[in-house]
Amino acid sequence: MNLEQEERLLLAQQRRGYRRLCFVPELEQGFVEHRVQRIGRRLLLIVSTAIVFQLIYAALDLLLMPLAVSLSVEPLRGLGILGVLAAFVYCRRPQSPPRAVLFAYIGAYALNGACVAVIIHLCWAQGVDMPYDGLFLILLFGYVLLGVSFRAVSLAAWGFCLLFLALGLLLVEPGSLWAYQGQFLICANLIGSVGAYLQEHGQRGAWLNLRLLDLARQRAEADDARKLRLLAAASHDLRQPLNAMGLYAQHLLEQSREPDIQRVSARLATSVEQLSRMLQSLLDYTRLTLPGGVQAKLEVFALRPLLERLSGETRREAELQGVALDLQCADLWVRSDPLLLERVLRNLLNNALRHAQARRVTLSVEEDADSVLLQVADDGRGLSPAEQAQIFEEFRQLDNPGRNAERGLGLGLAIVQQLATLLEHPLQLNSTPGQGACFGLRLPRATVGEWQPAKPVGAALHGRVLLVEDDAAGRVALSGLLQRWGCEVWSCADLQAALECLAEATPQLLISDYRLAANEDGLRAIERLREEAGCMLPALLISADISPALQERCMPAHVTLLGKPLLPARLRQALAVLLPVAAAPESAVPGATQT
């Protein structure tokens, strides 16, 4: 039975009602299993209470009654305890059918009630005035604690109560006392039966609502999974041509010497970069809003190297806008997800540079005993209380009413808030109009060894690169750009072609797309090429969908991961780290191309 069919049955059952305490067969079986699960969760407590109940009364029998009388009733109490233990063992067996479990459960209850009824009359027959209050306690136990169906508990309770009255009718002369006892037990059973009916009616209604909620949750999870699959497919399909477009634009910009063509090429490259950033923001925010779309991978790392690298990458843009960028950070270690934290800080810095109208932006760190306060502050126009309440809304740009695409989509701070919540790093905002704004992020502090400064990155590149890319346009564009930067490039369409030219190329760097033709995996292709080469070659993996799972696979494999569409500046920075540094090559070395 699929989700739609079960939902129709549940809604139809709600409309019809269940005054007879019975569902249609398809639902009744599920309710019985639910009841058995509830009984199983509290079975140990119920059994322990029943055994303690019998043991206490057995001790009282030995203390308060003549020894001969107490010894005559002890076998009946032992029989009740054995019945409880047998039911407990049977109910705990995983292979026991649900209805058989209920039968054994209520059977043990009925057996104990019958034993108490017989014990009372056995004591009366031997001249001991045994009160029948114990029988009332058994009724209370069944109606309140047992948790079985109205029909089962009523049948068991009425059964041993009638047994008690029948034994009284047979063994003693009926009189006013017997009539009073019978009236009391009948009234107690009537009250208990009504309460059991109302209790089961409420349980059935709650179960229907619970099942409907569970179906709604399953449908929502299925919808989220479909959205994630759609997002992954759209991310890959949209980024492929955009990636090739950006590489061609950069290639054209560097190759042409005519001013008009250079001007158009620069505008084209800028437009492609804007489109890439907008697409990245949209896809990232969509992924963040889906449950499980992004997962934080917490680790302990040095904070200062990350901030130095980030401020170094941002300093060029700050200088172009006439903004001074300061970094104030001691040698601290924190616990966070470095990739997600970098995205948060990058968005905060971009927001300060593009929208704050500031002359100075400061990236600083304040340390406490067990936490670190990471701040991005500016001396710009500041924010009013009303603006502070709006600034984290999606597509909200306070200083861009005309929706100028060059200034982004208005998702940067919304992504910051989502990521801060995901990382469980409290986000703070302090701002006064005319006095700038300060965004703060509090991180848990960690204690680990010393960090090593980053290696200097040279401006010139050289080296032999083996490129594996199944998309023809992207392969030609990327190989051409790499050759323009001074690299020797062997470009291949698949893993087999790369293996064939590996000996000739003797590469110093492997670059592979993640999704290759014929369901090939770029990460496995890199591992296969390393095995064939017999050494741990530096490797760069390019993927349109940078999922946390892929990042987790790349880290232990020592593979640098870059997202599509490739930004030439980020690509060149990665190559400068992975390839040997050259002083200043006079001209690019032409590369061999294999397809």
Side-chain angles (χ1 to χ4, degrees), residues 97-339:
R99 293 189 181 276
V101 168
L102 291 177
F103 182 80
Y105 187 62
I106 197 65
Y109 169 70
L111 176 63
N112 276 265
C115 288
V116 171
V118 174
I119 287 172
I120 293 173
H121 280 287
L122 188 59
C123 291
W124 286 354
Q126 299 180 66
V128 176
D129 188 17
M130 165 73 77
Y132 67 101
D133 297 348
L135 202 60
F136 177 73
L137 292 178
I138 292 287
L139 290 176
L140 187 65
F141 188 90
Y143 284 122
V144 175
L145 298 180
L146 212 57
V148 294
S149 68
F150 156 75
R151 292 181 178 86
V153 70
S154 297
L155 181 63
W158 280 98
F160 60 71
C161 285
L162 291 176
L163 174 64
F164 173 80
L165 295 176
L167 290 175
L169 188 63
L170 293 173
L171 299 178
V172 299
E173 183 178 350
S176 58
L177 180 61
W178 180 85
Y180 174 79
Q181 293 171 348
Q183 180 185 3
F184 178 81
L185 291 175
I186 290 173
C187 290
N189 264 308
L190 285 174
I191 294 173
S193 297
V194 172
Y197 175 87
L198 295 176
Q199 185 182 40
E200 182 175 353
H201 192 275
Q203 288 174 353
R204 288 180 176 269
W207 181 80
L208 289 176
N209 292 330
L210 184 65
R211 285 302 304 152
L212 287 171
L213 286 174
D214 188 57
L215 292 179
R217 178 189 58 79
Q218 293 181 40
R219 183 177 290 106
E221 289 178 351
D223 290 342
D224 289 340
R226 283 195 294 270
K227 290 176 183 177
L228 283 173
R229 290 194 298 269
L230 176 62
L231 181 64
S235 175
H236 181 267
D237 295 343
L238 288 175
R239 292 175 199 248
Q240 283 286 68
L242 192 59
N243 179 63
M245 188 188 306
L247 296 175
Y248 277 126
Q250 184 68 24
H251 183 60
L252 182 62
L253 177 63
E254 295 183 0
Q255 191 174 27
S256 176
R257 293 294 180 265
E258 297 184 17
D260 291 340
I261 296 180
Q262 281 193 331
R263 183 171 58 255
V264 173
S265 301
R267 291 177 179 175
L268 176 61
T270 302
S271 300
V272 171
E273 183 175 350
Q274 291 174 1
L275 182 58
S276 301
R277 295 184 186 277
M278 292 165 62
L279 177 63
Q280 183 68 45
S281 296
L282 281 171
L283 294 174
D284 286 349
Y285 185 76
T286 304
R287 184 180 291 108
L288 281 169
T289 57
L290 295 175
V294 176
Q295 296 180 352
K297 304 294 183 182
L298 301 181
E299 60 180 82
V300 174
F301 62 94
L303 183 60
R304 183 173 171 182
L306 185 148
L307 299 184
E308 286 184 339
R309 177 173 58 81
L310 190 59
S311 62
E313 295 174 4
T314 313
R315 195 173 304 279
R316 175 60 178 169
E317 181 179 354
E319 292 174 352
L320 292 176
Q321 299 186 25
V323 178
L325 179 60
D326 296 334
L327 172 62
Q328 302 171 6
C329 179
D331 298 342
L332 299 173
W333 291 74
V334 296
R335 180 181 300 276
S336 181
D337 185 319
L339 296 175

